[in-house]
Amino acid sequence: MKSGFVRGLLDRASVGRHRLGGLLAAAVLLLAAAPAAQAQMTITGTVTDEAGFPVDVAQVLIQSLQLATTTGEDGTYQLFVPAARMAGQTSVELVARRIGLRAQTVNVALVPGGALTQNFTLAADPFLLEAVVVTGQGLREERAKLATTISSIRAEDITESKAETNLIAAMAGKAPNVEITSSTGDPGGGAYIRIRGSKSINGGTQPLIVVDGVMVTNESYSVEGSGSVEVGQGSLWGVATQNRLADINPDDIESIEILKGAAAAGLYGSRATNGVVMITTKSGQRNSTQVTLRTTLGFDQVNRLPTLQTGWGQGYVDLSDLTSNISPTSSVSWGPALAAGTPTFDHANELFGTGVRSDNSLSLAGGTDRTTYFLSLGYLYHDGAIEGNSKYKRFTSRLKGAHDFLDNLNIEGNFAYTTSDGDLVQQGSNISGLLLGGLRTPPEFNNLPYIDSATGLHRSYRYPNPTELVRGRGYDNPFWAANELPNTATVDRYIGNIQLDWDPFPWWDVRYLVGLDFANDQRLTLFPKSSSEFPDGYLIRAELVNKVFDQTILMSFQDTPSEMFGWSLTVGQNLNQTQFRRFQVDAQNLIFGTGQGPDGRLLRRPRARPVGPAVHQGRRPV
């Protein structure tokens, strides 16, 4: 009995010792952590312009310690300097800068556990001489130190062009000597860029595109012709070609630098004959967290349409002998005068409605004193103004991160994935297109319904009562062309790179960059039987695969012996491998989608977008 009681006391004492030991260990850890937290220095302040207004998104950094942060909407900032970064240093340069303003630099003393308030007032820099620009392969330099001209486009300029969902089109009018041409206003249409005029008669004139130091493709291909084409230079029939830079979300862009001449050729050789467009994507900022949501809703309407005559019917009148030809197969509409009260239709206005464009982007950016991250998601839906299959969808994602494994070793990864799906309308001088037949339709002919109710066949003004399937319609009914001729393009695009930066000595920097750009473009173009261009039917099935592998090693040596003299030397090696594969099948005399059912009616695929009631009934009289 007594021994059991004694053992109980001993057990309780043992438990008490364990608890006391745990409390003592926790206290030791807290005491150890307290000096570490106190050793961290905090720098706060406000950045304003000369008028006293706060400057947001300004960068405040200590370059020598690789620490940086950005100001908020009220112009305030907070920068933490860990004790480990202050070892061996008593003072550093603190810099505040923003594009369009002159940078300001002050010397601050490093005090472990201290707190400092440092405000900045930035003057205007209209010539952007103090802006830091990307000159190639991720190398950065102040504009004032360059011996050449570099045009810059800011992220704000791109995001403000929300009416343009194509990155190239969003650059229009934002840089001197840069010509931007859009192929069409249709959803998913391409854009073409040229710097300071043409450099070749037969060859391409578009510049080299580099994203985060990695060369990427911006080719445009037409499956109706052969080979690569520049936007706006395709065949007379077909759909608008899309440039591959449309796969990049404009909201992911931090800056764009446009290089011309020796500045470009010195780094990229003959590939830079037409200049270089350097694109830098956004990154997270150290010791900060920022969530950004952008939503844009727009509407598209055609603001100018041709005025069509409404007083003359189908056929033509020969003024030399005043005879008329009113053949029902005539292609022109200058026949006899229409009788009073004859219903007429506005064949220009009835082809178009109101398009809807929704663009949404969500991003998360931030970091710690050694790590930065940037994550973005984007979704674009664009339903065009054409009354038919004219739409484009794009989903984008990007993950970008960097980490300082050592004070002089940083590794960064960047991965982006895009998938898009578009359906366009035949264009050009094309009898199976939209406008050629639409605008030539006589004013008294109603293009709707475009399917004959008695036979279920495609009807047009030159064949209003169809009885044969395999026969051209002279010109396709524009509503049939817009709804029954699929021209789809489905694209999957991957762009990724890994970059290593190592500074073994203050005067020696090493950079290794490897990247991959892969694009798979699936095309389908179908002309069902009874189309005017191909009465027997025509099918194009194509797969376009682009792959670019890029690897670069750079070593930079620099020294500044005095304030009046400094030198730098950069040597490196680049390996670039580009592959393009094209698999295409063209077929004629089709069966799919053009057979007849038991009741004799044409078997057609469902329309992707129903025509509005007012248009379907053809009640848009002039």
Side-chain angles (χ1 to χ4, degrees):
M1 184 74 168
K2 186 178 294 185
S3 61
F5 176 74
V6 173
R7 282 198 302 270
L9 290 177
L10 293 177
D11 291 340
R12 291 181 182 180
S14 176
V15 172
R17 285 196 302 270
H18 285 302
R19 290 179 178 176
L20 179 60
L23 292 174
L24 290 175
V28 170
L29 291 175
L30 290 174
L31 291 175
Q38 294 176 357
Q40 177 178 267
M41 182 178 179
T42 304
I43 304 176
T44 59
T46 304
V47 180
T48 59
D49 58 17
E50 292 178 304
F53 294 103
V55 177
D56 62 340
V57 201
Q59 188 180 37
V60 181
L61 71 155
I62 302 176
Q63 187 69 41
S64 59
L65 301 183
Q66 296 184 348
L67 297 174
T69 188
T70 55
T71 59
E73 293 183 356
D74 57 355
T76 61
Y77 73 92
Q78 189 174 38
L79 182 64
F80 299 100
V81 184
R85 299 290 183 95
M86 293 187 282
Q89 301 193 53
T90 58
S91 65
V92 292
E93 289 186 344
L94 182 66
V95 182
R97 64 190 183 191
R98 191 181 191 278
I99 295 179
L101 300 173
R102 295 184 183 276
Q104 184 178 358
T105 303
V106 297
N107 289 318
V108 297
L110 297 179
V111 180
L116 173 67
T117 300
Q118 178 63 55
N119 298 325
F120 294 91
T121 301
L122 306 184
D125 180 23
F127 297 104
L128 303 178
L129 295 179
E130 296 189 9
V132 176
V133 296
V134 179
T135 60
Q137 299 293 355
L139 300 178
R140 298 176 180 267
E141 186 58 88
E142 292 185 13
R143 185 186 301 274
K145 297 180 181 180
L146 298 175
T148 186
T149 300
I150 295 182
S151 301
S152 299
I153 301 177
R154 301 179 302 169
E156 294 86 347
D157 299 329
I158 298 296
T159 54
E160 289 174 359
S161 300
K162 296 305 292 183
E164 301 292 351
T165 56
N166 189 314
L167 178 58
I168 292 294
M171 295 167 56
K174 298 177 176 61
N177 301 315
V178 176
E179 176 187 352
I180 306 293
T181 304
S182 295
S183 63
T184 177
D186 294 350
Y192 168 76
I193 179 173
R194 182 168 57 191
I195 303 175
R196 292 185 183 176
S198 300
K199 301 296 180 295
S200 172
I201 297 177
N202 296 322
T205 59
Q206 292 199 85
L208 178 68
I209 307 296
V210 180
V211 178
D212 292 327
V214 177
M215 284 171 272
V216 300
T217 180
N218 187 41
E219 296 292 342
S220 300
Y221 295 96
S222 173
V223 297
E224 291 84 4
S226 60
S228 173
V229 299
E230 293 189 346
V231 171
Q233 299 181 8
S235 59
L236 295 179
W237 64 286
V239 300
T241 56
Q242 185 182 69
N243 63 303
R244 287 277 55 87
L245 212 61
D247 301 329
I248 296 180
N249 185 358
D251 284 332
D252 288 350
I253 304 305
E254 176 66 30
S255 64
I256 298 176
E257 320 293 344
I258 300 175
L259 287 71
K260 180 69 176 179
L267 288 166
Y268 299 101
S270 60
R271 290 170 295 183
T273 301
N274 300 315
V276 180
V277 177
M278 306 287 304
I279 299 174
T280 303
T281 60
K282 293 179 180 178
S283 302
Q285 299 294 331
R286 298 175 186 268
N287 299 310
S288 67
T289 301
Q290 184 177 11
V291 179
T292 304
L293 174 63
R294 297 181 184 273
T295 300
T296 302
L297 181 63
F299 300 94
D300 297 344
Q301 288 185 331
V302 180
N303 63 355
R304 182 176 299 178
L305 289 168
T307 302
L308 304 179
Q309 65 86 18
T310 58
W312 308 92
Q314 184 178 10
Y316 66 90
V317 174
D318 189 345
L319 296 181
S320 62
D321 58 7
L322 298 181
T323 60
S324 298
N325 182 342
I326 57 174
S327 169
T329 61
S330 176
S331 63
V332 296
S333 301
W334 294 104
L338 296 176
T342 301
T344 59
F345 303 89
D346 186 349
H347 293 307
N349 188 60
E350 70 181 358
L351 298 177
F352 303 96
T354 299
V356 179
R357 182 182 63 256
S358 174
D359 194 0
N360 306 278
S361 180
L362 175 66
S363 66
L364 172 64
T368 64
D369 62 317
R370 303 188 72 90
T371 302
T372 62
Y373 58 86
F374 176 81
L375 172 65
S376 74
L377 300 173
Y379 179 72
L380 167 69
Y381 176 80
H382 191 181
D383 194 356
I386 296 174
E387 295 286 357
N389 295 327
S390 176
K391 61 182 180 296
Y392 177 70
K393 297 182 292 183
R394 182 186 68 197
F395 172 79
T396 61
S397 61
R398 181 177 298 274
L399 177 61
K400 186 177 183 180
H403 181 72
D404 294 337
F405 287 89
L406 300 172
D407 289 343
N408 63 347
L409 176 63
N410 176 274
I411 297 180
E412 177 181 304
N414 187 1
F415 176 79
Y417 169 69
T418 300
T419 179
S420 63
D421 186 8
D423 192 356
L424 301 179
V425 177
Q426 289 286 326
Q427 61 176 4
S429 181
N430 185 349
I431 58 177
S432 287
L434 184 72
L435 295 182
L436 198 60
L439 299 183
R440 292 187 179 185
T441 302
E444 77 277 16
F445 183 82
N446 186 2
N447 276 318
L448 289 170
Y450 60 81
I451 298 297
D452 185 80
S453 59
T455 63
L457 298 177
H458 166 207
R459 62 184 287 270
S460 70
Y461 80 90
R462 298 183 68 182
Y463 195 25
N465 301 303
T467 58
E468 300 178 55
L469 174 63
V470 184
R471 173 179 170 178
R473 268 51 177 168
Y475 297 115
D476 283 354
N477 187 304
F479 293 105
W480 190 82
N483 289 276
E484 305 298 334
L485 272 66
N487 300 275
T488 62
T490 303
V491 180
D492 290 293
R493 180 83 177 269
Y494 306 86
I495 301 178
N497 66 71
I498 297 177
Q499 177 176 310
L500 182 148
D501 292 300
W502 180 42
D503 305 333
F505 301 101
W507 48 270
W508 183 14
D509 299 332
V510 179
R511 167 167 294 178
Y512 175 74
L513 177 65
V514 58
L516 177 66
D517 174 21
F518 178 84
N520 189 329
D521 186 355
Q522 304 277 347
R523 303 280 188 92
L524 172 65
T525 293
L526 173 63
F527 293 86
K529 286 188 174 183
S530 79
S531 62
S532 300
E533 191 77 40
F534 301 99
D536 287 326
Y538 195 83
L539 172 71
I540 300 176
R541 182 70 174 86
E543 181 180 10
L544 312 175
V545 180
N546 263 296
K547 184 171 70 173
V548 179
F549 175 80
D550 196 60
Q551 176 185 267
T552 301
I553 301 176
L554 287 176
M555 290 189 292
S556 300
F557 306 88
Q558 65 278 328
D559 192 16
T560 308
S562 66
E563 296 182 356
M564 301 296 294
F565 175 75
W567 62 271
S568 64
L569 173 65
T570 301
V571 296
Q573 174 266 346
N574 174 259
L575 172 63
N576 182 271
Q577 182 182 25
T578 302
Q579 294 182 356
F580 172 67
R581 292 178 297 172
R582 177 174 182 147
F583 306 94
Q584 180 167 330
V585 176
D586 293 22
Q588 293 182 330
N589 195 15
L590 302 182
I591 298 176
F592 168 75
T594 58
Q596 293 183 337
D599 58 355
R601 293 180 179 271
L602 181 67
L603 297 178
R604 299 175 292 110
R605 68 184 186 91
R607 293 195 302 272
R609 176 185 174 188
V611 180
V615 179
H616 184 71
Q617 297 172 13
R619 295 179 180 175
R620 284 191 181 179
V622 177

